[in-house]
Amino acid sequence: MLFDEAMKLHIWNKASTVDHVDASTWRRDQCGAWIKYTEFGNRFSDYGWEIDYILPLAEGGVHEEKNLRPLQWENQLSKREGRLTCVLRAIGPENMRI
């Protein structure tokens, strides 16, 4: 699914901000992993992120903002049966496997 820049920014703003860190560039996903705004869609980056369906479309989820969230791409891929299982989180300035 393609997302326009306005929707991408809106979903980005759902991620957690961190004190003393530029929130327009860096945030943390629901698992606590760092994501970087400019790394959207980049699965080669430790800080790449994707827009995730909280409830997958195949399970009755809808393509609406309330059902979307930003996730670091490895955390997004780790979902099983629609459930989030975090595999990365921030340890200091880096993402680490947990």
Side-chain angles (χ1 to χ4, degrees), residues 33-76:
W34 287 112
I35 55 177
K36 186 176 183 181
Y37 188 77
T38 58
E39 297 300 315
F40 177 74
N42 184 355
R43 289 189 175 179
F44 295 104
S45 171
D46 288 340
Y47 309 108
W49 63 286
E50 298 178 351
I51 295 176
D52 176 62
Y53 287 91
I54 298 166
L55 180 63
L57 297 174
E59 295 178 21
V62 293
H63 183 71
E64 295 178 2
E65 176 194 329
K66 65 183 179 186
N67 190 42
L68 301 172
R69 65 181 164 199
L71 281 181
Q72 195 278 347
W73 69 269
E74 291 177 80
N75 287 331
Q76 195 276 333

Side-chain angles (χ1 to χ4, degrees), residues 2 9 12 22-23 25 29 35 43-44 57 69 75 81 83 86 88:
L2 295 177
L9 182 59
W12 168 259
D22 180 4
T25 303
D29 73 2
I35 55 177
R43 289 189 175 179
F44 295 104
L57 297 174
R69 65 181 164 199
N75 287 331
E81 298 176 4
R83 294 192 171 177
C86 300
L88 288 180

